[in-house]
Amino acid sequence: MTDSPPQTRKGIILAGGSGTRLYPLTTGVSKQLMPVYDKPMIYYPLSVLMLTGIRQIAVITTPEDGSQFRRVLGDGSQWGLSLTYIEQPSPDGLAQAYILAEDFLDGAPSAMVLGDNIFFGHGLTEELNRAGSRPTGGTVFGHRVHDPQRYGVVSMDEEGRVTGIVEKPEVPPSDYAVTGLYFLDGRAPEWARKVKPSARGEVEIVSLLEMYLAEGSLDLARLGRGYAWLDTGTHASLLDAGNFVRTLQSRQGIQCGCPEEIAFEQGWIGAEDLRAQAARFTKTEYGQYLLRLI
């Protein structure tokens, strides 16, 4: 009897929640559809999954916002993707996403990214592929920050191995915050069901990660100099992210978070498909950029 081939990794974008930290901006529109300079916020985490080669992606949204995401993203076929929409009845913790997506994943390993996180940097694709190539266990991405007290922080031994994750510590064990990007194997939904809700009633992602840590299968990918990680959950950070993208694009003449470009480079869509997408945005610099790719 031969072993069955490993399943293809699938993606999850967690785009639920009420976005109360961005009120009154988000009283009528989902936070993950707010603009980050010239694109909807969700384009950026979507692009991260695409850079990993993932084409089957579940978008987890609130019941009220599902139609908005469908209008913006469609079924994903314009990018060579297959998008599935899953409703999150109430925001009961990040690890709840694995429970909600259990049928979608169907035992496959996954990469989950939070819908308000932006990643950028030379060599990012290589880091993503390295994490995606691990058949078992999990990988979290750590980014150095100057105020680790605000985040979940990784503690490490002298050889750089993860020894723990501490949520908003008064005395941080390191300067590396855990970002909103998680690569986990096919056991994630099963293990998420075993997580007991925290004092605030949520299925905490840290508790799920600690299960992997306890068996010694949690790896840390450190995003050092040259990488940008932006959390757009506040008014100030949303503005900072927009300014970052604007500066990058205007100085270098490249797009950040462009699904059409990634799909074209991956061979998932052809030149005519790209031309059709560009025609939708013909009056914008974004559309002109797509035409230049052809």
Side-chain angles (χ1 to χ4, degrees):
M1 181 177 178
T2 59
D3 293 334
S4 58
Q7 288 186 271
T8 301
R9 190 174 297 270
K10 297 180 180 180
I12 302 172
I13 302 176
L14 184 51
S18 54
T20 53
R21 288 190 299 164
L22 284 174
Y23 274 8
L25 285 177
T26 50
T27 53
V29 64
S30 169
K31 171 177 66 174
Q32 291 84 8
L33 294 177
M34 293 295 297
V36 177
Y37 186 49
D38 60 348
K39 292 175 289 292
M41 185 186 298
I42 197 169
Y43 270 37
Y44 299 91
L46 174 66
S47 296
V48 169
L49 297 181
M50 293 175 69
L51 286 172
T52 313
I54 293 174
R55 301 180 70 176
Q56 291 181 274
I57 299 170
V59 181
I60 299 180
T61 75
T62 66
E64 298 80 17
D65 296 326
S67 60
Q68 295 180 354
F69 283 93
R70 286 182 174 88
R71 186 168 64 250
V72 172
L73 303 176
D75 63 2
S77 59
Q78 70 274 25
W79 301 311
L81 306 177
S82 173
L83 298 183
T84 298
Y85 294 92
I86 300 174
E87 290 187 357
Q88 182 184 35
S90 58
D92 297 325
L94 301 185
Q96 183 194 31
Y98 294 101
I99 300 173
L100 295 173
E102 186 169 15
D103 289 343
F104 163 77
L105 293 174
D106 192 25
S110 61
M112 182 173 79
V113 60
L114 303 188
D116 62 356
N117 274 218
I118 296 175
F119 296 85
F120 184 82
H122 178 69
L124 178 61
T125 302
E126 287 75 13
E127 289 288 352
L128 294 171
N129 288 333
R130 189 175 297 113
S133 66
R134 294 189 68 207
T136 59
T139 300
V140 293
F141 288 75
H143 191 275
R144 188 185 296 274
V145 294
H146 72 89
D147 51 352
Q149 298 88 345
R150 296 178 50 218
Y151 303 94
V153 179
V154 177
S155 60
M156 296 172 281
D157 61 19
E158 293 180 353
E159 297 182 3
R161 293 185 295 247
V162 182
T163 58
I165 301 174
V166 188
E167 190 67 29
K168 297 180 180 178
E170 292 185 11
V171 182
S174 77
D175 293 330
Y176 279 91
V178 178
T179 70
L181 179 59
Y182 316 92
F183 282 68
L184 299 181
D185 62 23
R187 298 173 293 173
E190 175 190 354
W191 284 16
R193 290 188 178 279
K194 297 178 181 180
V195 174
K196 295 181 179 179
S198 63
R200 58 180 182 172
E202 295 191 359
V203 185
E204 305 286 356
I205 189 69
V206 170
S207 299
L208 176 58
L209 296 176
E210 285 174 343
M211 292 181 175
Y212 285 90
L213 182 61
E215 72 164 16
S217 64
L218 186 67
D219 189 30
L220 173 69
R222 285 191 260 188
L223 301 177
R225 290 178 180 269
Y227 289 97
W229 167 53
L230 304 171
D231 175 349
T232 55
T234 67
H235 298 102
S237 60
L238 179 62
L239 179 61
D240 289 343
N243 286 332
F244 172 84
V245 172
R246 180 183 183 277
T247 300
L248 176 73
Q249 293 183 175
S250 62
R251 294 279 181 87
Q252 298 189 3
I254 61 173
Q255 276 285 332
C256 175
C258 180
E260 291 87 357
E261 180 176 16
I262 299 170
F264 184 59
E265 290 181 346
Q266 297 271 32
W268 300 342
I269 62 174
E272 289 308 309
D273 301 309
L274 187 59
R275 196 183 306 278
Q277 284 294 97
R280 296 179 59 205
F281 312 118
T282 184
K283 295 182 179 180
T284 69
E285 291 183 6
Y286 189 83
Q288 295 163 14
Y289 177 81
L290 298 181
L291 286 176
R292 288 199 299 273
L293 296 176
I294 302 172

